[in-house]
Amino acid sequence: VQLVESGGGSVQTGGSLRLSCAPSGLSVSDFSMAWFRQSPGKEREAVAAIRRDDLTAYTDSVKGRFTISQDKSKKTVYLQMTKLEVEDTGIYYCAAAPGAWAELNQPKYTYWGQGTQVTVS
C-alpha cells in the first residue's frame, strides 16, 4: 500500500490550496481516508476524514474552510483548503484506515503517506 500526496506549497494568508492523495494497493471504497497535519512544535493532529459513502468529519479549526472529498473513479482523495491561516502551516499527511468508520481517530489509521508541506505566511 502506498499513499502519495501532492499539491502542497507556499501561499499567503487568505489563499487556497488543494491537496491530492493517490492511494495504490487499496480501494478508497474499503477504507476511511483522512488528512492529518503536523505543525512546527506540535503533535500530529487530524484535520478531516471521509467515509466510503462520503460521510465527513472535520476538526473544529478547519470547519467552513476545508473540504475533504474523494473521486472513486480516479481513486483520489482531495483536501480543498480555503481562507488559509498562518496556523495551518505544517506537513499534511494522507492516511487510510481499514474496517469501520475511523472518523478522526488517529490510532485507527494504519497506512500513511510521506507528507506534503503547506506554508502560509
Side-chain angles (χ1 to χ4, degrees):
V1 174
Q2 189 174 15
L3 306 178
V4 180
E5 303 99 335
S6 61
S10 296
V11 64
Q12 292 186 336
T13 301
S16 299
L17 282 174
R18 188 178 78 161
L19 306 182
S20 299
C21 172
S24 60
L26 64 83
S27 171
V28 297
S29 297
D30 297 328
F31 286 74
S32 300
M33 301 296 298
W35 289 94
F36 292 77
R37 70 184 177 194
Q38 186 162 20
S39 301
K42 296 183 179 180
E43 294 185 353
R44 188 165 59 188
E45 63 172 347
V47 175
I50 189 166
R51 197 169 68 177
R52 58 183 66 86
D53 61 354
D54 293 331
L55 178 68
T56 58
Y58 296 92
T59 192
D60 286 346
S61 64
V62 307
K63 287 180 180 177
R65 300 189 298 120
F66 291 11
T67 303
I68 188 171
S69 62
Q70 58 188 346
D71 185 331
K72 296 184 180 68
S73 64
K74 296 183 178 179
K75 301 179 182 180
T76 302
V77 179
Y78 303 99
L79 184 67
Q80 179 67 51
M81 304 185 293
T82 64
K83 303 176 183 177
L84 282 161
E85 304 169 353
V86 172
E87 293 74 21
D88 295 317
T89 294
I91 300 174
Y92 283 69
Y93 299 91
C94 178
W101 175 220
E103 297 188 74
L104 301 176
N105 192 338
Q106 187 168 172
K108 292 187 177 181
Y109 287 84
T110 55
Y111 300 104
W112 294 84
Q114 293 296 311
T116 185
Q117 177 70 45
V118 171
T119 303
V120 185
S121 61

